[in-house]
Amino acid sequence: MSVAYLVILAISLLLDSTSAGVPLPRYEALLKQQSAPEDPTLGLYDDGDKVVKLTVENFNSTVVDQNRGALVEFYNTYCGHCRRFAPTYKTVAEHLLPWSEVLIVAAIDCAAEENNAVCRNYEVMGYPTLRYLGPGFQPGPQHFGQNLKTQDVNEIRELLAGMVAAENLTSSHNNSYWPNVHYLTENDSASSLFEGLSSVKQYVAVVHEPENTTLGIEVALFMTQWPAVEVRRVIDPAASAKFKIDPANLPLSLVNRLGEIEAYAPEYANGESYAKKLAEVLGKKNITPRPIKVPQPVSTPSIKITGQNELIKEVQRNKHFVYQADLEQAIRTVLHNEVAKVSEISGEKLLALQRFLAVLQRYNPLGANGHQLVSKLKDYVVQFNEVLTGKEFEEELKRLEGQQSPVYSSTHFVGCAGSSPRLRGFSCSLWTLFHFMTVQAARNDDSQDPLEVLQAMHGYIKHFFGCTECSEHFQAMASRRKIWSVPNKEEAVLWLWAAHNEVNQRLAGDATDDPEFPKKQFPSPDSCSECYRSPGSKSENLEIEWNKDAVLGFLKNIHNPQFVSRYGVQREELLHPTADKMRQKRQISSVFTDIDMRMGMLLYAFCIVMMVLAFKLFAFKGYRKKPYGHDLLGKV
Ligand SMILES: Cc1cc2nc3c(=O)[nH]c(=O)nc-3n(C[C@H](O)[C@H](O)[C@H](O)COP(=O)(O)OP(=O)(O)OC[C@H]3O[C@@H](n4cnc5c(N)ncnc54)[C@H](O)[C@@H]3O)c2cc1C
Ligand SMILES: *[C@@H]1O[C@H](CO)[C@@H](O)[C@H](O)[C@H]1NC(C)=O
Ligand SMILES: *[C@@H]1O[C@H](CO)[C@@H](O)[C@H](O)[C@H]1NC(C)=O
Ligand SMILES: *[C@@H]1O[C@H](CO)[C@@H](O)[C@H](O)[C@H]1NC(C)=O
Ligand SMILES: *[C@@H]1O[C@H](CO)[C@@H](O)[C@H](O)[C@H]1NC(C)=O
Ligand SMILES: *[C@@H]1O[C@H](CO)[C@@H](O)[C@H](O)[C@H]1NC(C)=O
């Protein structure tokens, strides 16, 4: 068997290096170029942002048991909602930069596999999740920081100020920048204010804090860079009066060590405006702030993806192709990242995982080693009926992968590669994988259950998909579109197609759209004109009138394993040989601009044309062109 395999391998290498006209070393060099993977450490934030980038390496040393607090965002790069929220979060970081001695604004990308353990240990259930970890914070059972359930800049600031005010600092976490949260009382006086204060403090700023607000703490936080000023807050009207405060008109005053008091009117009723007023007054007294120490982000190497343009151009030439590399990336990310980072898999979640693996086992696009891997993994997971931890799953996965290695024939997205590494990627490949599986189910008689794949998908999306907003939308859509009433396996293919088109329509023109791959109804008329009842024109309600039979045929065709493109795959020897090898040879070689190769290709094409003609003339007079001409014979 292995001899036969070697012969096939040798022949295929020979084909690679000679008949397609592509010198092997160049081919490898090209693939190497293209295989620059989407850097998982890239995340949504740059070094230019004020967001402190956390990883498994620096998480403990940056936000656990520190003498300052931290706001931590747990996000997934591929989650559209996280991408939409990223500019807001950058604004939060910029806005709260003056607080950084007391509280830093940080983020960790849970889509990066290396960070699995952190996201799992912190039991992150949705993305993005914002948590406040106070000074001296130590994770413990049921203790992973306080959730902030808002994505509004002002609300985030107010909640954080409230959390800072509520901290009870133990002596081991004293932080000289921490604001004094105690309210002034009627017993305080201009002279008693300075008792016990360091001699550096030349002024005490007194802020009237309207009831149920955090204004005073916010002013204190915005003033942390002014060593000469202590900020105190006051609510009590009698106490306010002692410091010349008139809450309505002059809500802010400055007291010096001589007991002199001056009250001021800031422009707006917010912490920044109060701090601005104070800065202006202090500036006139020649008091200056320290420069803000920007919390040091760990620098991430900036990567330049070469070969990516070539790849994108190639993909755009063949818009509707399904790529092996994407199917593999989807499976890899599902296993290594999404499932592995769940803390405890039990109940409905465990059932969903078992179902997903059973379906994946049946309609697995991986090669022989990958088949072994998935079926062993499934056998492992079905043994559990109570609880499986994400950690156990990850360990077993790594053990089996070691045993079955090599499993994956590629390491990067192809059809799902975005024009920037932050776009497309995993969610695109996940759609692709599920479409692929619905089609395999319809092509196969192993199971008569029409809902098999859709049910597995529904469970997966509900319990594991790290794009929380997508998951919620999908569940709502599934019940609205009556997913549980799909009558047969072909309708299941069409159900998913129509559901995906609904999402495409909703997201068209969204901020997360890749400009190189705008969201359109699928398939486009260029790819399948037969799929449209009346090409170009739409019915009165502007709905496209689809020819569903043609759509079904088209979907079955593009997901036919024989036609799944192996463009950009590095280790094709791991895959089952396909009868359609010649077609994808053409695709690989079309990347090269080499004149020799073009001549070769021309000859090659010519031969095929001749063969087809000969075939038509002498053998199959009645031969009809395939309706979906995306294979070579169809096109020539
Ligand atoms: C279940 C699910 C729900 C999602 N919900 C949301 C959401 O609510 N909000 C949000 O911002 N993002 C959501 N996403 C992500 C979003 O749908 C895209 O995956 C993401 O924006 C990347 O888009 P893309 O351009 O790469 O193409 P994708 O839409 O991901 O499509 C991937 C590929 O599938 C093919 N394709 C496209 N349409 C169809 C179709 N109808 N039938 C068959 N094949 C098709 C195309 O070749 C395309 O390149 C969801 C993803 C999934 C898997
Ligand atoms: C971080 O701390 C937790 C416990 O608080 C520990 O389990 C984990 O291993 C630490 N991570 C690293 C990378 O040191
Ligand atoms: C603050 O902590 C100390 C000891 O750690 C405790 O005695 C005190 O009651 C706490 N105060 C509040 C308001 O929680
Ligand atoms: C405050 O912290 C410093 C070290 O930063 C320490 O030397 C000092 O003893 C601490 N103060 C108290 C009251 O614990
Ligand atoms: C002010 O001081 C008096 C007497 O010392 C005391 O009884 C009262 O409780 C104090 N008021 C406040 C608000 O602390
Ligand atoms: C402040 O909050 C308390 C409790 O929520 C409420 O009873 C009170 O009316 C609020 N005061 C103002 C001025 O909103």
Side-chain angles (χ1 to χ4, degrees):
M1 187 198 94
S2 65
V3 174
Y5 184 67
L6 279 178
V7 169
I8 291 175
L9 190 68
I11 291 177
S12 70
L13 284 179
L14 214 70
L15 280 173
D16 267 338
S17 56
T18 58
S19 86
V22 183
L24 192 59
R26 278 194 54 191
Y27 174 54
E28 281 177 343
L30 182 91
L31 289 182
K32 218 161 160 188
Q33 247 184 14
Q34 286 173 351
S35 70
E38 269 82 334
D39 181 349
T41 62
L42 200 64
L44 291 177
Y45 303 102
D46 288 324
D47 287 351
D49 305 324
K50 302 297 184 278
V51 177
V52 177
K53 281 163 287 299
L54 301 176
T55 63
V56 66
E57 302 295 335
N58 65 14
F59 193 89
N60 284 354
S61 58
T62 311
V63 299
V64 174
D65 201 15
Q66 302 299 300
N67 69 352
R68 59 184 170 188
L71 173 65
V72 178
E73 181 199 16
F74 295 86
Y75 70 93
N76 277 324
T77 300
Y78 58 77
C79 132
H81 198 70
C82 300
R83 285 192 207 131
R84 258 170 252 130
F85 176 63
T88 307
Y89 199 62
K90 289 180 196 178
T91 307
V92 170
E94 187 84 41
H95 181 51
L96 302 189
L97 192 59
W99 301 19
S100 58
E101 296 288 357
V102 172
L103 181 130
I104 61 170
V105 176
I108 183 162
D109 182 7
C110 296
E113 189 184 334
E114 53 163 6
N115 297 333
N116 275 358
V118 177
C119 303
R120 180 166 64 215
N121 293 344
Y122 281 76
E123 302 202 350
V124 179
M125 304 298 239
Y127 299 89
T129 283
L130 295 182
R131 299 240 177 100
Y132 167 78
L133 312 186
F137 169 83
Q138 291 277 9
Q142 310 304 316
H143 186 51
F144 312 110
Q146 287 167 265
N147 279 316
L148 280 79
K149 295 198 175 107
T150 173
Q151 286 168 7
D152 175 86
V153 179
N154 292 324
E155 286 178 17
I156 290 172
R157 189 193 61 240
E158 286 162 14
L159 284 172
L160 288 174
M163 288 168 178
V164 165
E167 284 292 350
N168 182 10
L169 289 197
T170 60
S171 51
S172 54
H173 295 103
N174 64 13
N175 174 337
S176 60
Y177 293 95
W178 206 266
N180 184 334
V181 302
H182 303 290
Y183 291 104
L184 294 176
T185 69
E186 55 190 329
N187 291 356
D188 285 299
S189 67
S191 55
S192 74
L193 276 187
F194 289 90
E195 279 166 20
L197 275 190
S198 122
S199 60
V200 179
K201 302 282 184 192
Q202 299 178 47
Y203 295 91
V204 173
V206 180
V207 178
H208 178 260
E209 187 169 271
E211 207 180 325
N212 298 347
T213 74
T214 48
L215 184 63
I217 292 293
E218 289 180 38
V219 177
L221 287 165
F222 280 114
M223 296 297 290
T224 40
Q225 301 305 130
W226 295 77
V229 186
E230 171 91 347
V231 177
R232 298 297 302 272
R233 55 182 180 166
V234 62
I235 285 191
D236 178 51
S240 303
K242 277 180 116 169
F243 299 98
K244 296 199 175 170
I245 281 179
D246 164 7
N249 302 307
L250 297 166
L252 171 68
S253 67
L254 207 53
V255 184
N256 68 13
R257 284 190 175 259
L258 302 174
E260 293 165 346
I261 306 173
E262 194 94 47
Y264 303 98
E267 199 172 351
Y268 304 106
N270 64 51
E272 257 179 324
S273 187
Y274 278 48
K276 197 173 146 208
K277 185 77 201 174
L278 287 171
E280 183 188 306
V281 173
L282 291 162
K284 286 187 192 141
K285 302 178 192 292
N286 288 327
I287 306 278
T288 52
R290 297 188 191 85
I292 294 179
K293 237 195 279 157
V294 178
Q296 213 41 62
V298 201
S299 68
T300 45
S302 69
I303 52 154
K304 220 175 137 231
I305 300 184
T306 49
Q308 196 76 356
N309 281 345
E310 208 60 68
L311 195 139
I312 284 175
K313 268 191 230 136
E314 176 62 23
V315 170
Q316 283 180 330
R317 265 196 289 276
N318 301 304
K319 279 210 179 69
H320 54 265
F321 275 21
V322 173
Y323 294 88
Q324 175 71 21
D326 298 331
L327 296 170
E328 296 194 5
Q329 281 295 93
I331 295 171
R332 201 209 310 250
T333 307
V334 160
L335 300 179
H336 278 259
N337 190 266
E338 298 226 284
V339 176
K341 82 186 168 199
V342 175
S343 160
E344 285 194 349
I345 307 169
S346 62
E348 209 184 303
K349 230 179 190 146
L350 183 57
L351 262 178
L353 178 61
Q354 290 166 342
R355 233 177 240 140
F356 173 80
L357 288 174
V359 166
L360 183 62
Q361 179 185 26
R362 203 167 273 161
Y363 310 118
N364 189 344
L366 297 172
N369 294 352
H371 277 256
Q372 289 284 323
L373 170 77
V374 172
S375 80
K376 290 190 171 170
L377 199 58
K378 190 209 97 187
D379 291 345
Y380 172 76
V381 170
V382 293
Q383 305 172 79
F384 292 82
N385 41 36
E386 293 283 316
V387 189
L388 165 69
T389 67
K391 191 151 183 268
E392 286 167 337
F393 179 87
E394 188 175 40
E395 281 164 5
E396 181 65 9
L397 170 67
K398 290 196 168 153
R399 194 184 70 77
L400 289 172
E401 274 186 357
Q403 213 177 60
Q404 302 299 330
S405 166
V407 169
Y408 306 99
S409 73
S410 63
T411 55
H412 54 93
F413 293 109
V414 172
C416 287
S419 62
S420 124
R422 285 170 189 166
L423 296 169
R424 311 191 71 222
F426 176 58
S427 56
C428 166
S429 69
L430 192 61
W431 277 121
T432 309
L433 177 64
F434 281 113
H435 288 300
F436 178 84
M437 295 202 296
T438 55
V439 169
Q440 302 323 302
R443 290 163 46 89
N444 181 304
D445 283 331
D446 284 359
S447 157
Q448 290 312 316
D449 175 7
L451 286 173
E452 174 188 40
V453 177
L454 293 184
Q455 193 174 32
M457 174 178 183
H458 188 271
Y460 181 84
I461 299 292
K462 178 171 175 190
H463 294 287
F464 296 97
F465 190 29
C467 172
T468 311
E469 179 211 24
C470 305
S471 170
E472 284 160 6
H473 275 138
F474 183 79
Q475 289 172 64
M477 176 170 70
S479 61
R480 179 162 38 75
R481 286 181 168 270
K482 302 199 170 49
I483 191 173
W484 309 124
S485 318
V486 171
N488 57 51
K489 293 192 283 183
E490 310 221 305
E491 284 298 325
V493 174
L494 288 171
W495 187 93
L496 191 59
W497 159 77
H500 190 172
N501 266 346
E502 181 183 324
V503 176
N504 291 341
Q505 179 142 19
R506 178 158 49 82
L507 292 178
D510 184 80
T512 62
D513 226 3
D514 187 331
E516 297 281 342
F517 296 91
K519 294 255 182 335
K520 293 216 177 91
Q521 292 300 288
F522 185 93
S524 70
D526 304 344
S527 301
C528 178
S529 57
E530 304 89 334
C531 294
Y532 293 73
R533 283 219 183 278
S534 41
S537 75
K538 292 177 175 181
S539 71
E540 279 174 12
N541 54 8
L542 290 175
E543 295 248 326
I544 297 171
E545 286 188 62
W546 295 102
N547 175 350
K548 295 226 172 122
D549 290 338
V551 170
L552 181 64
F554 181 82
L555 293 172
K556 282 184 157 181
N557 201 348
I558 61 172
H559 292 95
N560 181 335
Q562 295 290 325
F563 298 148
V564 167
S565 170
R566 297 179 176 185
Y567 178 79
V569 158
Q570 294 110 313
R571 312 189 65 160
E572 193 176 348
E573 72 275 14
L574 298 178
L575 303 172
H576 307 291
T578 69
D580 206 35
K581 230 168 176 305
M582 298 321 257
R583 181 185 56 85
Q584 55 96 15
K585 282 273 153 13
R586 184 187 62 85
Q587 287 165 38
I588 290 171
S589 47
S590 66
V591 193
F592 296 90
T593 50
D594 196 340
I595 300 266
D596 288 356
M597 205 216 54
R598 283 196 179 167
M599 289 302 288
M601 286 304 292
L602 222 68
L603 262 167
Y604 178 59
F606 180 74
C607 288
I608 287 184
V609 171
M610 294 307 283
M611 270 168 62
V612 170
L613 283 177
F615 215 51
K616 274 194 157 185
L617 276 173
F618 302 114
F620 285 102
K621 287 242 161 171
Y623 171 80
R624 287 214 346 248
K625 232 176 119 179
K626 278 193 182 178
Y628 316 111
H630 83 280
D631 62 327
L632 183 65
L633 289 175
K635 268 194 178 164
V636 175

